[in-house]
């Protein structure tokens, strides 16, 4: 049995970070954009980058509420978007992982 390479590249699963990380994942050839969701107890971010990466920020607004990247464990998931974003068509989950924010 050949192990399948991880589809989410960085940060590595369970990595400890002190600054907003750059999330990177394997490109899906037919994807025109991606949906990235960040979870900390509940969904705190949903973003739609056109490329297979997303630089998180120290703070952001999602669903009318301000969030900050504070200490703790975060999970993140990526789906490929197929066609125009307004169509809301998504492929199979690219992957899910987690990282831990430490420090300020």
């Amino acid at each position: 049995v050949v192990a399948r390479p991880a589809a989410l590249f960085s940060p590595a699963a369970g990595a400890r970070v002190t600054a907003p990380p750059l999330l990177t994942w394997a490109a899906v050839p037919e994807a025109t954009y991606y949906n990235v969701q960040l979870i900390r107890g509940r969904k705190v971010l949903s973003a739609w980058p056109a490329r297979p990466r997303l630089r998180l920020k120290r703070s952001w607004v999602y669903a009318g509420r301000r969030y900050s990247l504070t200490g703790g464990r975060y999970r993140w998931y990526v789906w490929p978007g197929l066609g125009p974003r307004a169509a809301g068509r998504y492929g199979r989950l690219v992957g899910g992982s987690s990282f831990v924010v430490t420090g300020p």
Side-chain angles (χ1 to χ4, degrees), residues 40-103:
R40 177 140 189 242
R42 63 178 163 186
K43 190 184 325 179
V44 296
L45 176 69
S46 190
W48 295 269
R51 300 168 85 181
R53 64 181 151 270
L54 176 67
R55 167 74 65 189
L56 295 181
K57 297 181 178 180
R58 287 213 178 270
S59 66
W60 64 91
V61 174
Y62 171 68
R65 184 171 173 189
R66 179 159 294 282
Y67 291 93
S68 294
L69 196 67
T70 57
R73 178 173 299 277
Y74 292 80
R75 291 209 45 82
W76 60 290
Y77 301 91
V78 179
W79 289 267
L82 310 172
R85 186 175 150 201
R89 269 188 56 227
Y90 295 95
R92 296 179 77 159
L93 179 69
V94 173
S97 190
S98 67
F99 60 90
V100 176
V101 175
T102 61

